[in-house]
Amino acid sequence: MNLYIRLLWALLRSARLHSIEPGDWIERRLRVLPNDLDINGHMNNGRYLTIVDLMLVEYFVRSGFAKAMLKAGWRPMSGGAFITYRKALAPWQCYRIRFALAGADHAWNYMRFEFLREDGTPCAAGYMKGAAVSRDGLVPNQRSYARLGREFVQSALPPAVQHWLAAEAGVMKDFETAA
């Protein structure tokens, strides 16, 4: 992550904010900074996913997952993301990012994110998946949720995530066939 000041700010801010439950939405208001720009003069497509990483950090801290994960010696891991872009964000423009848990399976947690202009115009949206990983591999959600004192109930995944997972399986199959 190359946004160390924003990362530090996210950690400090998250520690002071009220705790959240899985499924709660969090929202942050940000501004497009000069180092967020690409050659076309708008927010770089890769920067969106970096901002999503910062929101994941906040979600982990505020839900208590970061503390439980560190105590267990686990590390967070992103397993992929998909995003679609609709409107550009210009230099110095303010925007909001909304972020929430949308579903979970045996090991992965699927997070929905939305980038909105101040007037509510959607700029980009997508999903990312993340999990806890130990030396032995992915930590089952039943185990990680138990560390939080919560019962894990596998939820139905949104149709967009189901389609993404099917496409992901196809991509990996193509990769294995080509190798």
Side-chain angles (χ1 to χ4, degrees):
M1 186 176 301
N2 61 5
L3 296 174
Y4 293 112
I5 293 173
R6 283 185 177 167
L7 174 60
L8 180 61
W9 178 248
L11 287 168
L12 293 172
R13 180 177 166 65
S14 301
R16 295 179 315 177
L17 295 172
H18 66 83
S19 61
I20 58 171
E21 295 293 321
D24 288 352
W25 282 90
I26 60 173
E27 187 172 306
R28 196 66 42 239
R29 184 178 179 271
L30 298 168
R31 181 180 302 274
V32 179
L33 300 176
N35 63 330
D36 295 333
L37 303 177
D38 64 15
I39 195 166
N40 295 317
H42 56 74
M43 191 150 101
N44 179 285
N45 61 350
R47 184 63 81 201
Y48 285 88
L49 294 176
T50 302
I51 299 296
V52 167
D53 280 347
L54 292 173
M55 294 300 287
L56 184 60
V57 166
E58 179 175 332
Y59 211 89
F60 276 179
V61 171
R62 292 181 61 190
S63 67
F65 186 66
K67 186 176 182 180
M69 192 173 53
L70 291 172
K71 281 185 178 179
W74 304 335
R75 302 255 183 246
M77 182 179 83
S78 175
F82 80 84
I83 185 171
T84 186
Y85 305 95
R86 290 293 175 256
K87 299 286 183 184
L89 287 169
W92 304 112
Q93 187 171 12
C94 290
Y95 64 94
R96 292 179 295 129
I97 178 171
R98 293 174 30 92
F99 192 86
L101 178 67
D105 59 24
H106 68 287
W108 295 102
N109 295 281
Y110 300 89
M111 311 301 286
R112 166 84 177 164
F113 57 87
E114 303 167 348
F115 288 80
L116 306 161
R117 288 184 180 162
E118 289 277 273
D119 66 2
T121 302
C123 296
Y127 290 89
M128 65 88 55
K129 68 178 183 176
V133 70
S134 71
R135 293 177 193 228
D136 300 323
L138 292 177
V139 177
N141 271 329
Q142 190 165 3
R143 189 171 162 208
S144 62
Y145 278 62
R147 278 254 179 206
L148 291 170
R150 295 185 175 103
E151 180 183 353
F152 172 68
V153 178
Q154 187 165 328
S155 56
L157 300 177
V161 171
Q162 293 174 31
H163 294 300
W164 170 32
L165 295 176
E168 182 181 73
V171 167
M172 293 313 294
K173 185 177 179 183
D174 292 346
F175 178 75
E176 291 164 1
T177 303

